[in-house]
């Protein structure tokens, strides 16, 4: 078909406009047109592309690709993606500047590029002749994973760079993150749909970037700030980083508007202070600032250490603290009946989230804080840590204090509350208590357990309250009709949920063990049990003494495991679950090489290729011990980005330190 010139022009103009408005909306946060106008342009473009067969891979309509991937392919970084050393205060920053001057044998003040340290995921984007060709995670800095299918769904990242003569390869690096507004929107939607809410923006972004299914990634409104360039073939880059930023900005790539060029380290300190004071007002989470030598030629002269450049430094902010008032204290009944005091707070925005309640852990903690209802308290929150009540301020200010007392009856079922060990209290009813029932079902369906998508907290509560679900196995007997009758559930969501329930039956043994909710058996212990026994039956038959042979299982946990599997009701429940079709692949026990027997490893920093639990399980399977702190008995420390005091201690003690890449190679060579 001969396509009229007018149509071609309209299509190209629509693409240009949509890209332009995407950029205004997603990276500059200043939309110029109403959403409805944008949607109309998008629909028109879709129509024309279909009608005239004009689809092209760089069209904004082609962001979400087709089918999910089966696995990630590896990407080797031609230039390694480095990490950053970090400092915590003014003097450390001055020392950093002095070190650089000494190395350069020049006392003249240095020019720095100061940038917010965005809390997200480091990625590399590769453009070839101006077209986005590949996106990869940082991985261990040397090898990452191909995440192009997900990055294409991020509206703020251009599929095609602006500018006509961009030939050859241009690699741009930066941080993909989820803004505070996007995170709030996402959780609002999750609450409305009754599905599980997301814990924090960083983890949500990391999870979205590593999705195999781009349609799932596309649901998360990810953003990016670019902060450096990697391989560049033909385009001449300016010497100053600040000018590199301006150049990549002109190509339509998102750069952080809160960056600044500063003369001398004192001005960098002032920048950090300013940034800290406006931290709350930023629309994205930061955990500090990054101070970089601005001249790339000077950067080159300074060079790098093993994993970090000498010319850059992360300036980490302290954990954030805010004051607020304790309106009330309620008692929550957990999965195993433990009764926990929870403070209801006047909502306060701290460390990037609004906190309106927080656990007080136990009554000893309440006593230690000297807390009463109505008190004003300091709340601290760092990174993704649960907010913590640090102390009571000015207790005399509380004119009508109310003491906090443990109830004598379970707030959920009215059964007597009894003491459980030194500091805990428990509902005496066991699994007939509806609160315990609800919590154990929520746990069973949670992400680390059977991961039943769509079975959120609200729905579990409805299902238990309506009597449809009493025990976890009842979820496998739910029908379309029953589910569609629940609040906020339509035919379609009921069908989706049934499908998700069916899918959850194909699981792994560690997930199943964790889902059972055995006291003190977390994901790592479930992995260790699997690696040790290989299958469920031997775990069910073993004694506490046997369990103690599993690495990292002490006498108390071993006792809990034995008690759980001796209990007839639990054995019957397992039988029912298996007869519903729950199954997992058999695991080979690594009886062979216990190549790391007698060795003690410590894991520190962030691992990017595997979870810490997986790393731990792999080490345990090879006979190694995994310790929580570095001592002279440590044989090796696996250090990922963000490693802090454990890494310094290992360096001090002269202990072998390896990064994630070396660790993976070691595991491969031994298994
Ligand atoms: S520069 C050679 N700039 O921090 C230096 N990193 O701890 C490489 N990050 O892996 C990094 N904001 O994920 C740089 N403005 C920024 C950053 C930034 C966040 C992250 C990045 C990196 C980690 C290092």
């Amino acid at each position: 078909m001969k396509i009229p010139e007018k149509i071609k022009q309209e299509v190209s103009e629509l693409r240009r406009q949509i890209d332009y408005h995407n950029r205004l909306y997603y990276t500059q946060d200043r939309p110029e047109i109403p959403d409805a106008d944008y949607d109309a342009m998008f629909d028109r473009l879709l129509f024309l592309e279909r009608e005239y067969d004009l689809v092209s891979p760089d069209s904004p309509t082609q962001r979400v690709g087709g089918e999910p991937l089966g696995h990630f392919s590896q990407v080797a970084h031609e230039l390694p993606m480095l990490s950053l050393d970090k400092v915590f205060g003014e003097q450390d920053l001055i020392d950093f500047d002095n070190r650089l001057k000494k190395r350069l044998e020049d006392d003249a003040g240095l020019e720095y590029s100061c940038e917010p340290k965005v809390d997200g995921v480091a990625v590399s984007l590769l453009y070839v002749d101006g077209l986005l060709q590949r996106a990869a995670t940082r991985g261990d800095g040397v090898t990452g994973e191909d995440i192009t299918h997900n990055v294409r769904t991020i509206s703020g990242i251009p599929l095609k760079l602006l500018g006509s003569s961009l030939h050859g390869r241009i690699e741009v690096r930066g941080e993909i993150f989820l803004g505070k507004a996007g995170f709030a929107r996402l959780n609002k939607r999750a609450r409305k749909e009754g599905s599980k809410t997301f814990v924090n923006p960083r983890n949500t972004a990391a999870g979205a970037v590593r999705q195999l299914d781009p349609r799932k990634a596309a649901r998360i409104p990810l953003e990016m700030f670019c902060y450096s360039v990697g391989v560049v073939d033909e385009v001449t880059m300016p010497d100053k980083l600040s000018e590199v930023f301006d150049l990549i900005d002109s190509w339509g790539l998102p750069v952080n508007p809160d960056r600044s060029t500063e003369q001398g380290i004192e001005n960098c300190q002032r920048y950090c202070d300013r940034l800290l004071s406006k931290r709350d007002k930023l629309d994205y989470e930061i955990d500090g600032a990054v101070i970089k030598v601005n001249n790339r030629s000077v950067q080159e002269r300074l060079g790098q250490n093993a994993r970090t450049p000498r010319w850059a430094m992360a300036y980490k902010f302290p954990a954030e603290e805010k004051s607020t008032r304790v309106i009330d204290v309620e008692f929550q009944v957990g999965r195993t009946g433990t009764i926990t005091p929870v403070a209801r707070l006047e909502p306060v925005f701290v460390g990037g989230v609004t906190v309106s309640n927080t656990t007080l852990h136990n009554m000893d903690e309440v006593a230690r804080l000297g807390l009463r209802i109505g008190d004003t308290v300091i709340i601290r929150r760092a990174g993704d840590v649960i907010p913590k009540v640090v102390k009571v301020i000015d207790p005399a200010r509380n004119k009508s204090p109310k003491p906090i007392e443990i109830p004598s009856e379970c707030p959920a079922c009215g059964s007597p509350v009894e003491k459980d060990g030194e500091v805990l209290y428990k509902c005496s009813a066991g699994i007939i208590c509806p609160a315990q029932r609800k919590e154990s079902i929520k746990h069973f369906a949670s992400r680390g357990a059977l991961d039943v998508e769509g079975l959120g907290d609200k729905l579990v509560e409805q299902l238990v309250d309506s009597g449809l679900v009493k025990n976890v196995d009842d979820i496998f007997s739910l029908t379309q009709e029953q589910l569609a009758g629940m609040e906020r559930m339509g035919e379609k969501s009921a069908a989706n949920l049934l499908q998700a329930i069916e899918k959850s039956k194909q699981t792994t043994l560690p997930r199943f063990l964790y889902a059972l909710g055995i006291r003190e058996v977390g994901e790592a212990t479930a992995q260790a049990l699997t690696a040790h026994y290989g299958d469920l039956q031997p775990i069910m038959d073993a004694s506490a003494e046997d369990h103690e042979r599993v690495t990292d299982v002490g006498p108390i946990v071993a006792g809990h495991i034995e008690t759980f599997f001796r209990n007839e009701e639990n054995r019957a429940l397992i039988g029912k679950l298996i007869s519903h079709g729950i199954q997992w692949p058999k695991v080979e026990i690594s009886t062979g090489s216990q190549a790391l027997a007698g060795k003690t490893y410590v894991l520190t920093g962030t691992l990017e290729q595997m979870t810490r639990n997986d790393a731990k399980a792999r080490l345990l399977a090879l006979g190694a011990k995994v310790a929580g702190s570095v001592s002279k008995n440590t044989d090796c420390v696996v250090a990922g980005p963000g490693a802090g005091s454990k890494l310094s201690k290992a360096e001090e003690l002269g202990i072998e330190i390896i990064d994630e890449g070396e660790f993976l190679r070691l595991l491969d060579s031994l298994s």
Side-chain angles (χ1 to χ4, degrees):
M1 161 178 45
K2 175 99 180 71
I3 303 159
E5 206 48 41
K6 221 173 112 219
I7 297 293
K8 281 196 203 154
Q9 265 173 17
E10 185 180 353
V11 164
S12 117
E13 180 57 17
L14 281 168
R15 285 180 187 157
R16 197 192 60 74
Q17 288 220 16
I18 290 171
D19 282 338
Y20 170 76
H21 290 295
N22 272 346
R23 196 151 176 265
L24 287 183
Y25 184 90
Y26 288 102
T27 57
Q28 298 178 1
D29 205 14
R30 47 180 190 94
E32 278 175 1
I33 54 169
D35 289 358
D37 291 4
Y38 175 91
D39 293 344
M41 275 199 284
F42 200 90
D43 290 344
R44 171 81 183 150
L45 178 59
L46 268 178
F47 168 78
L48 292 178
E49 286 180 346
R50 247 183 252 143
E51 197 69 12
Y52 294 94
D53 206 11
L54 278 173
V55 177
S56 92
D58 61 329
S59 168
T61 58
Q62 298 307 300
R63 288 189 173 270
V64 184
E67 289 303 298
L69 269 53
H71 67 281
F72 289 105
S73 355
Q74 302 274 300
V75 170
H77 299 297
E78 202 167 308
L79 298 173
M81 286 184 76
L82 300 176
S83 174
L84 292 170
D85 281 333
K86 52 179 179 245
V87 293
F88 291 90
E90 186 160 7
Q91 190 51 49
D92 292 344
L93 209 53
I94 295 172
D95 293 347
F96 161 67
D97 181 60
N98 284 335
R99 274 200 305 278
L100 299 191
K101 286 179 179 154
K102 198 166 159 207
R103 216 177 167 90
L104 293 167
E105 295 178 345
D106 187 351
D107 243 3
L110 283 160
E111 185 173 81
Y112 289 102
S113 166
C114 300
E115 303 154 31
K117 186 168 184 302
V118 183
D119 208 4
V121 190
V123 299
S124 140
L125 308 179
L126 181 69
Y127 286 87
V128 179
D129 298 336
L131 291 181
L132 177 65
Q133 182 154 86
R134 195 204 61 204
T137 60
R138 176 178 178 275
D140 62 1
V142 179
T143 317
E145 280 170 336
D146 191 324
I147 49 159
T148 317
H149 58 296
N150 294 332
V151 169
R152 287 181 64 87
T153 70
I154 305 177
S155 315
I157 298 181
L159 298 176
K160 186 170 181 230
L161 297 180
L162 301 174
S164 48
S165 55
L166 297 177
H167 300 301
R169 293 177 304 168
I170 300 175
E171 186 198 358
V172 182
R173 295 170 173 185
E175 197 84 352
I176 288 186
F177 63 96
L178 177 59
K180 290 176 192 168
F183 179 69
R185 245 184 295 141
L186 209 59
N187 269 345
K188 198 170 158 198
R189 192 172 72 198
R191 272 189 290 272
K192 205 168 142 212
E193 289 169 357
S195 55
K196 278 169 257 177
T197 50
F198 296 85
V199 179
N200 65 53
R202 207 211 92 89
N203 288 3
T204 313
V209 159
R210 296 198 68 257
Q211 273 290 345
L212 286 166
D213 186 349
R215 286 166 299 198
K216 285 193 181 159
R219 273 183 240 144
I220 314 290
L222 295 172
E223 298 175 48
M224 180 174 182
F225 284 139
C226 301
Y227 51 61
S228 70
V229 284
V231 188
V232 178
D233 286 336
E234 290 180 34
V235 179
T236 318
M237 298 304 277
D239 183 49
K240 290 196 176 190
L241 187 52
S242 45
E243 289 165 14
V244 171
F245 276 123
D246 296 339
L247 182 62
I248 57 183
D249 179 37
S250 76
W251 292 338
L253 284 161
V255 287
N256 194 321
D258 300 303
R259 68 188 187 282
S260 172
T261 311
E262 301 290 343
Q263 307 298 330
I265 205 72
E266 293 76 17
N267 284 322
C268 295
Q269 178 62 49
R270 277 185 212 121
Y271 170 88
C272 293
D273 295 343
R274 278 199 308 274
L275 188 65
L276 180 56
S277 66
K278 66 174 183 187
R279 184 185 196 174
D280 279 5
K281 292 180 208 90
L282 297 175
D283 185 39
Y284 51 90
E285 290 207 355
I286 58 172
D287 57 355
V290 184
I291 313 295
K292 299 171 184 167
V293 169
N294 197 29
N295 285 70
R296 299 197 310 142
S297 47
V298 181
Q299 291 180 0
E300 253 163 56
R301 277 168 60 204
L302 287 164
Q304 64 184 64
N305 296 312
R307 287 178 213 91
T308 55
R310 289 203 187 90
W311 43 266
M313 189 54 82
Y315 180 98
K316 298 278 274 190
F317 289 156
E320 213 186 341
E321 294 191 346
K322 280 282 179 63
S323 71
T324 188
R325 215 172 62 88
V326 175
I327 310 167
D328 199 3
V329 170
E330 288 169 11
F331 290 87
Q332 251 173 21
V333 188
R335 179 162 55 84
T336 54
T338 304
I339 294 186
T340 310
V342 176
R344 301 272 168 243
L345 307 167
E346 267 168 17
V348 57
F349 192 74
V350 55
V353 289
T354 302
V355 179
S356 43
N357 53 58
T358 187
T359 176
L360 296 165
H361 302 289
N362 55 54
M363 293 308 284
D364 266 27
E365 179 67 3
V366 172
R368 191 188 68 75
L369 291 165
L371 183 69
R372 301 148 318 158
I373 294 166
D375 280 348
T376 301
V377 292
I378 300 267
I379 304 286
R380 178 186 300 154
R381 183 177 179 273
D384 54 5
V385 182
I386 309 172
K388 186 176 161 55
V389 177
V390 189
K391 64 172 184 201
V392 175
I393 43 176
D394 194 7
R397 207 201 292 180
N398 188 352
K399 294 291 174 247
S400 48
K402 231 175 100 192
I404 300 163
E405 281 161 9
I406 190 91
S408 54
E409 287 164 3
C410 168
C413 70
S415 308
V417 166
E418 56 190 29
K419 200 136 199 225
D420 180 28
E422 291 285 303
V423 291
L424 299 181
Y425 290 86
K426 238 183 122 150
C427 158
S428 57
I431 201 69
I432 59 159
C433 166
Q436 295 187 45
R437 206 167 257 168
K438 287 174 186 169
E439 291 312 310
S440 51
I441 296 164
K442 287 179 196 168
H443 173 78
F444 189 80
S446 67
R447 289 211 171 93
L450 258 65
D451 193 17
V452 186
E453 206 177 315
L455 188 54
D457 292 1
K458 289 259 153 59
L459 184 58
V460 169
E461 280 164 25
Q462 281 186 60
L463 289 168
V464 173
D465 289 339
S466 66
L468 283 176
V469 171
K470 289 195 175 61
N471 290 311
V472 288
D473 60 300
D474 295 332
I475 65 171
F476 297 104
S477 312
L478 288 168
T479 64
Q480 164 88 17
E481 229 179 0
Q482 290 171 330
L483 283 173
M486 293 286 119
E487 234 173 80
R488 281 196 250 115
M489 285 287 272
E491 291 292 330
K492 178 93 179 84
S493 18
N496 286 346
L497 180 55
L498 279 183
Q499 221 174 30
I501 292 174
E502 197 53 38
K503 194 171 140 211
S504 73
K505 291 180 184 171
Q506 307 300 324
T507 188
T508 64
L509 183 54
R511 279 178 177 276
F512 183 72
L513 285 171
Y514 174 65
L516 290 174
I518 308 165
R519 267 183 97 167
E520 288 182 50
V521 174
E523 289 172 78
T525 310
Q527 298 259 15
L529 286 166
T530 305
H532 187 88
Y533 292 102
D535 207 354
L536 181 63
Q537 199 57 49
I539 306 179
M540 292 177 69
D541 296 342
S543 66
E545 215 182 341
D546 296 327
H547 297 317
E548 277 192 63
R549 282 190 213 109
V550 179
T551 329
D552 264 13
V553 172
I556 295 178
V557 180
H560 291 326
I561 302 170
E562 186 192 69
T563 311
F564 183 91
F565 288 112
R566 289 276 148 89
N567 180 312
E568 277 313 318
E569 277 176 44
N570 291 337
R571 292 180 85 94
L573 173 69
I574 291 169
K576 281 194 218 156
L577 290 171
I578 290 173
S579 67
H580 277 294
I582 291 191
Q583 50 181 294
W584 49 86
K586 214 174 145 40
V587 179
E588 291 297 325
I589 323 174
S590 51
T591 45
S593 103
Q594 288 274 299
L596 298 180
K599 299 265 187 233
T600 302
Y601 276 70
V602 171
L603 301 167
T604 180
T606 323
L607 295 183
E608 294 177 332
Q609 308 264 47
M610 52 166 73
T611 64
R612 233 181 224 232
N613 284 342
D614 285 342
K616 194 167 167 183
R618 301 270 311 255
L619 283 167
L620 297 178
L622 287 162
K625 272 205 184 122
V626 181
S629 58
V630 176
S631 72
K632 61 180 185 340
N633 298 326
T634 310
D635 292 288
C636 181
V637 171
V638 181
S645 60
K646 289 182 197 171
L647 179 59
S648 328
K649 181 121 191 242
E651 278 167 345
E652 224 170 80
L653 295 173
I655 290 164
E656 186 192 2
I657 300 163
I658 59 174
D659 64 19
E660 193 178 1
E662 290 163 304
F663 177 56
L664 286 170
R665 285 189 281 280
L666 171 78
L667 293 179
D668 280 349
S669 70
L670 297 176
S671 46

